[in-house]
Amino acid sequence: MMLLGARQMARPRAGLAHLFSTSARAADAAHKVVVVGGGTAGLTVSSELLRSGKFAANDIAVVDPSQWHDYQPGWTLVGGGLTDRERLRRSEASLIDPKIKFYQERVTSFAPEQNQIATASGEKLTYDQLVVAPGFEIRLDAIKGLQEALADPASKVSSIYTYDTVEKVYGKIKALREGRAIFTQPATPIKCAGAPQKIMWLALDTWKRAGLYKAHDPSSPIQIDFVTGMPTMFSVPKYSEVLNKLREERGAGGYFKHDLAAIEDNGTTAVFNVPDQEPVRLPFDFLHVTPKMSTPKFIQESVLANAAGFVDVDQATLQQVKYKNVWSIGDASSLPTSKTAAAITGQAPVLVHNLLQAIDGKAPDAQYDGYTSCPLLTEYGKVLLAEFQYGGTPKETFTKFGLDQSKPQRAFYYLKKDFFPWVYYNSMVKGTWQGPKGFKFGTRSLTTQAPAPGRRTLHTSARALRNTPARRPRDPLDTPEVARFPLRTGETLVARTPPTAPTSRETLLGADELFARAAPVSDAELAALPPKLRKHHRQARDASNLLSAEQIAEVQQLRAQDPFVNTAGSLAKRFGCSPTFISMVAPAPKEVRTARRAETQLRRATWGMNKRIAHEQRRERRALW
Ligand code: FAD
Ligand code: UQ1
């Protein structure tokens, strides 16, 4: 009731402002839901809310000053030379549905008693429900000398943690020929707590392949140290043990509870604070820094924050502890779990459900279990997929399919490198990806729906995969070239053109007509003949395969417009030619092909034993045919 009141009060003002305003800015506008921050969390939540079908145009607003949105989990890949930062960047506006009002503005303060927020331009927005997701700020200023070192192009210091610095990392890794390489991690919470060591493992692999790093060999030109403010390699003992063993086997030094405080001596010495000890000074020839991070100041100073500066929410319902129409997820929330985009796949559906409940005057009844995940690149080609929930208890998606998640695996590498970046922009920020639970479209979850008869759907969720029957192998006799004749004896005569004969695409006559011509039959016998070939086979046979130059240009244009929607199959159907021809004149871009390969890898990685056996048997049968 209180919420509706606020909305109704604010509406007339918004209307007047709209009538009299000469600027584009609509002063004191009101929205059913205002989302602060259009990052991973803000985009995912606002899209999922819109897809609930319960909101009209402009009911939902997103406020974010950024012009760009970056796929930050990909910055580790940029640091490892596997992709470019530009490929991971989209314009912020392009990711926001036109039915959502986008304010490209910085939020400066909250007035939750008035259900209002203020922006830097002085605008006030009124809401019924507020979602606060402004993420973490990278605090380069919190380590003395870091800003200067990063700004100096000749320095030995780099970091994958900002857009401005990430592109220099791989160059600096490649340039190092000898000396001491140090990789740091601060003592305070950071985004993706595994990233500081992921970049170390990739660098180690690069130097090893170049013959510059030899584990446990005093003559190795390069020595490597992991220097972390944390007490262990990783917060979850199960994965930490594996990673520490890997570190020892690979001969990298380990310094724990060492928190980088300053870079000194003209950018050549790192100074670490150690509890109950004098600061430790380590000279370096290469330094990868994971900076300290914190929530933005306007959150820390707000009444929504707890003592540590995070938006104070219930760890299960995601509702602010005091203001029941305020919600928070993502890096800025107080949720006691590792800060990742993967975590947001688990948080967003819970927040959306509970927020919709609140709008209907019901209690929030969905609960977040703390799910988070960190795909730890341990070398080029291998990833250890850590997945866990509150309390650091593993909650693994793929163990039940026979994959050991405490071991670095190749299948997970393709998930990290190809599938996640693809699914992030094509599904997650559009509100249709729920991490380990798979895809969700509309208001129905594919993961709980049986596929329509005769249709196959892509499932990634464990539940859906368990319920997917193994596909029957395609019958090699079920082609346009084959004709079947039931004989009086009860047997069936199957006739097909010899393999050396031209296919029916090249002849004017299909096998059944050829047969009919060769041996004319009586009317009665004709009636007993098999039915006419299916329509689409006829279409394929009739297709001339000769497209005009204009048609080819159109195919190429459609393909460039949206290669995911305009597949070779759909364009072949539309233009009456073969998919192979489409792939020849308008090949899918590399990203599309890698994303498809990644999808296949993902599907295969989740296969159970029965499916693997069925697949193998099918392959053998095919080879025989
Ligand atoms: P963000 O995505 O950072 O978005 C915050 C948004 O709020 C921004 O758009 C910002 O402009 C906006 N904002 C800030 N201040 C204001 C304001 N005053 N008013 C309005 N808007 C504001 N996660 C994984 O799952 N797997 C990984 O492998 C992984 N690896 C990572 C590697 C690196 C190097 C980094 C940096 C991150 C990685 N992450 C990974 C973490 C993941 O990217 C973050 O956890 C996730 O993006 C957090 O989402 P968020 O919405 O809370 O914050
Ligand atoms: C995930 O959904 C996701 O988002 C696209 C990531 O990329 C940032 C991840 O790193 C992870 C681990 C997930 C979780 C999904 C699965 C299938 C484990």
Side-chain angles (χ1 to χ4, degrees):
M1 289 244 303
M2 176 196 80
L3 306 181
L4 277 176
R7 185 171 160 69
Q8 281 155 355
M9 267 164 49
R11 256 204 178 126
R13 278 190 287 147
L16 284 178
H18 172 71
L19 280 177
F20 296 112
S21 170
T22 49
S23 75
R25 175 164 84 78
D28 295 18
H31 298 278
K32 278 192 182 168
V33 184
V34 170
V35 180
V36 177
T40 308
L43 288 173
T44 306
V45 161
S46 54
S47 299
E48 286 187 22
L49 282 168
L50 188 67
R51 295 187 80 90
S52 72
K54 304 210 165 157
F55 297 94
N58 293 332
D59 272 352
I60 304 168
V62 171
V63 195
D64 193 313
S66 303
Q67 191 190 349
W68 301 108
H69 179 93
D70 292 292
Y71 176 67
Q72 300 169 44
W75 288 348
T76 319
L77 304 173
V78 178
L82 291 166
T83 188
D84 306 316
R85 62 179 184 169
E86 292 81 9
R87 293 168 80 96
L88 305 171
R89 172 162 269 206
R90 303 283 184 278
S91 95
E92 177 74 27
S94 73
L95 299 175
I96 297 176
D97 192 286
K99 288 192 219 66
I100 294 175
K101 175 80 184 160
F102 175 36
Y103 295 90
Q104 201 154 18
E105 296 231 34
R106 190 165 56 83
V107 175
T108 48
S109 62
F110 300 94
E113 307 287 354
Q114 284 79 44
N115 298 312
Q116 234 176 33
I117 59 164
T119 70
S121 68
E123 185 150 17
K124 296 213 165 44
L125 302 180
T126 307
Y127 55 82
D128 292 350
Q129 303 286 329
L130 179 71
V131 179
V132 187
F136 256 159
E137 263 176 21
I138 303 294
R139 302 290 310 278
L140 297 179
D141 57 327
I143 293 167
K144 213 171 118 248
L146 177 59
Q147 275 170 313
E148 297 77 356
L150 287 172
D152 175 4
S155 95
K156 304 166 174 181
V157 183
S158 61
S159 179
I160 56 168
Y161 269 87
T162 76
Y163 182 81
D164 291 338
T165 55
V166 66
E167 66 166 356
K168 305 235 177 72
V169 176
Y170 191 56
K172 288 192 192 289
I173 292 174
K174 296 282 269 189
L176 188 70
R177 289 281 164 269
E178 59 178 354
R180 185 180 207 176
I182 293 178
F183 294 81
T184 75
Q185 174 162 355
T188 41
I190 55 167
K191 322 181 194 220
C192 192
Q197 63 182 285
K198 293 182 202 176
I199 189 64
M200 173 178 75
W201 297 129
L202 292 183
L204 184 151
D205 203 0
T206 307
W207 294 324
K208 193 176 94 184
R209 285 164 198 241
L212 295 168
Y213 181 73
K214 294 164 194 156
H216 306 291
D217 183 343
S219 75
S220 170
I222 293 175
Q223 302 85 46
I224 300 173
D225 286 310
F226 186 57
V227 189
T228 170
M230 307 302 288
T232 53
M233 287 295 282
F234 199 70
S235 61
V236 179
K238 172 176 175 175
Y239 308 117
S240 189
E241 263 169 42
V242 178
L243 294 163
N244 201 41
K245 211 162 144 228
L246 217 57
R247 182 186 64 72
E248 286 169 355
E249 277 165 16
R250 293 177 178 178
Y255 290 76
F256 299 94
K257 296 188 185 172
H258 281 55
D259 195 14
L260 181 65
I263 296 169
E264 293 182 354
D265 301 338
N266 229 354
T268 58
T269 305
V271 184
F272 297 89
N273 284 339
V274 189
D276 312 320
Q277 218 181 290
E278 283 297 296
V280 168
R281 301 172 65 83
L282 300 177
F284 61 82
D285 300 282
F286 172 101
L287 179 71
H288 179 273
V289 177
T290 300
K292 291 179 192 291
M293 295 164 211
S294 75
T295 54
K297 215 163 169 217
F298 81 107
I299 295 291
Q300 294 176 23
E301 289 169 350
S302 82
V303 290
L304 303 177
N306 64 13
F310 292 93
V311 183
D312 204 359
V313 288
D314 180 279
Q315 69 170 52
T317 63
L318 318 177
Q319 189 173 39
Q320 213 274 342
V321 290
K322 181 169 174 207
Y323 300 97
K324 302 300 178 193
N325 62 337
V326 179
W327 312 83
S328 178
I329 59 168
D331 296 352
S333 72
S334 63
L335 300 172
T337 194
S338 184
K339 314 269 177 205
T340 64
I344 292 167
T345 66
Q347 295 162 1
V350 173
L351 189 156
V352 167
H353 175 89
N354 287 343
L355 187 151
L356 293 176
Q357 288 281 102
I359 287 180
D360 289 345
K362 295 183 194 151
D365 57 359
Q367 306 214 319
Y368 171 57
D369 62 6
Y371 173 81
T372 188
S373 170
C374 184
L376 276 139
L377 284 147
T378 53
E379 63 192 90
Y380 288 95
K382 291 235 173 111
V383 158
L384 181 155
L385 185 59
E387 283 184 288
F388 50 100
Q389 56 187 16
Y390 285 141
T393 319
K395 187 186 180 205
E396 297 173 343
T397 308
F398 300 100
T399 36
K400 44 192 163 300
F401 298 108
L403 283 175
D404 182 353
Q405 288 197 216
S406 63
K407 277 212 183 93
Q409 306 270 359
R410 186 163 295 271
F412 299 148
Y413 177 73
Y414 291 106
L415 270 189
K416 165 77 191 158
K417 184 169 86 64
D418 301 318
F419 182 74
F420 289 148
W422 176 83
V423 84
Y424 182 81
Y425 278 126
N426 287 282
S427 186
M428 183 165 171
V429 295
K430 294 179 181 169
T432 59
W433 172 248
Q434 300 199 331
K437 290 198 177 136
F439 293 97
K440 182 180 193 266
F441 295 101
T443 50
R444 299 164 311 159
S445 168
L446 273 191
T447 57
T448 53
Q449 275 218 319
R455 286 203 59 192
R456 292 202 320 127
T457 12
L458 169 66
H459 295 290
T460 56
S461 88
R463 181 137 52 109
L465 280 166
R466 258 204 317 277
N467 295 333
T468 308
R471 203 153 57 100
R472 279 174 54 114
R474 195 172 62 83
D475 182 354
L477 298 180
D478 183 18
T479 69
E481 283 79 31
V482 171
R484 289 160 200 264
F485 298 91
L487 302 177
R488 278 183 208 101
T489 57
E491 291 161 302
T492 306
L493 170 68
V494 178
R496 40 175 185 175
T497 43
T500 47
T503 69
S504 60
R505 281 178 191 224
E506 292 160 65
T507 60
L508 283 174
L509 300 171
D512 54 351
E513 281 125 316
L514 282 172
F515 244 83
R517 285 183 177 215
V521 284
S522 68
D523 284 353
E525 278 171 317
L526 208 58
L529 281 179
K532 285 263 182 253
L533 291 167
R534 276 180 288 147
K535 197 165 165 250
H536 72 270
H537 285 147
R538 288 209 171 275
Q539 273 172 356
R541 201 155 20 125
D542 294 344
S544 70
N545 269 1
L546 289 175
L547 264 59
S548 66
E550 291 76 33
Q551 281 177 312
I552 291 176
E554 197 185 340
V555 165
Q556 285 166 337
Q557 196 196 355
L558 285 167
R559 193 73 139 156
Q561 254 168 23
D562 195 339
F564 286 100
V565 170
N566 298 321
T567 58
S570 70
L571 290 172
K573 229 184 227 160
R574 185 160 158 186
F575 288 86
C577 61
S578 73
T580 315
F581 182 72
I582 298 287
S583 303
M584 280 162 60
V585 294
K590 199 167 157 237
E591 297 95 296
V592 178
R593 280 180 280 135
T594 22
R596 294 235 165 89
R597 253 203 310 278
E599 266 180 53
T600 312
Q601 289 278 353
L602 171 65
R603 274 206 307 276
R604 292 196 174 172
T606 58
W607 282 356
M609 196 49 76
N610 287 345
K611 192 148 185 179
R612 279 164 202 270
I613 292 169
H615 177 75
E616 204 41 42
Q617 287 174 340
R618 198 178 311 146
R619 212 180 51 74
E620 281 170 13
R621 280 201 300 274
R622 277 215 189 101
L624 279 176
W625 288 329

